[in-house]
Amino acid sequence: MASNRSIIAKVSTGDMTNGGLLNPAQSNRFIDYMAPKDSFLADIRTVRMESPEFELDFMGLGSRIIRKGVEGVAPDELMSITTSKKSLKTSEVILPYDLTDNVREDNIEHEGVGTHIANLMGTQFGNDLADLAINGDHTVLTSAPDGKFLSIGDGFIKLAKDSSDTHKVDTNGGVDYKGVIFPAMLNALPNQFKARKSLLRFYVSPAVAEAYVDQLAARNTVLGDNSVVTGNVAPFKGIQLFPVEYLPDGVMFLTLAQNFAVGIQRSIRVENQRQARRRLTEYTITMRLDPAKIVYDPACVIAYDVA
């Protein structure tokens, strides 16, 4: 199995086997490296795609669908299955960077600085993908601040706000998460998705998670004290709060973790090229991805200040 070290070495040393295209094992390890176990990308559904398109399926049944059987008599009604189908469709993204000879020679790590920087770039690729998955908006002008980044594709905020099937909670700028906002979000979620609370998530910003801990602490209970001392964010009515650093403070989600999907095509290419006259080496990482899809909109609640 390819290690993270061998993959990063491929970037930094110029091991351009197959024209820089990572083999499937290397691609899988690179994706693992982009999405560490405690990250947002690891918590949601990160699809490793073999081709530019992948179908996401949702299937569910309504309640009270069984009937009394009568011998010799066929049922006079059929029970329907709720289905939803969406597609992840990838487009190419690129991460280019240069490493000058002076940086390589003067840095304390000397030749090892290439591997170190490649490591940092791989981590940043994952960070940027998580950011784009949240905040992407294809309508942003490329001339706007960060427009060339944000306009790559739509993220979960835009998708949820634009959908007529997601559930919206107006926070009116309020900050009473424990007493008002989280209860309203839970109330907006259809009952069929509340049965297995271990699968649900409140995705919030770190500042919101800290404010929620402070609100628990104000109750002078063991739960509040433990949250302050340990730093662990206590669940709300059995539902885990998951801080996401790229979420704006005024936006929160309640949904099934696997209801958020990101697609990464495994054709990942890492290359470098020596520019002798410029005294530097160009490094380039390219891949194809779809930054965000909500699999089943009715299972998603978004809370924000509508005004």
Side-chain angles (χ1 to χ4, degrees), residues 191-265:
N191 286 333
Q192 68 189 95
F193 304 115
K194 298 179 183 179
R196 300 183 65 182
K197 291 186 176 180
S198 63
L199 304 180
L200 289 169
R201 298 286 189 274
F202 280 105
Y203 291 114
V204 301
S205 73
V208 168
E210 292 172 6
Y212 171 68
V213 169
D214 290 342
Q215 290 172 7
L216 291 179
R219 301 175 61 187
N220 294 320
T221 62
V222 173
L223 176 62
D225 291 342
N226 287 340
S227 295
V228 172
V229 172
T230 65
N232 296 326
V233 182
F236 178 81
K237 295 189 175 180
I239 300 173
Q240 179 184 345
L241 268 70
F242 197 109
V244 181
E245 61 181 298
Y246 306 105
L247 259 175
D249 292 339
V251 180
M252 291 143 279
F253 286 102
L254 171 60
T255 190
L256 301 164
Q258 295 296 297
N259 196 38
F260 279 175
V262 169
I264 303 175
Q265 195 170 336

Side-chain angles (χ1 to χ4, degrees), residues 153-193:
D154 290 338
F156 296 120
I157 292 177
K158 180 169 175 56
L159 293 172
K161 286 183 177 181
D162 288 352
S163 172
S164 60
D165 294 323
T166 57
H167 310 283
K168 284 83 171 175
V169 170
D170 188 355
T171 64
N172 292 308
V175 293
D176 185 355
Y177 307 107
K178 178 180 67 68
V180 177
I181 296 174
F182 291 165
M185 295 176 70
L186 188 57
N187 185 60
L189 186 71
N191 286 333
Q192 68 189 95
F193 304 115

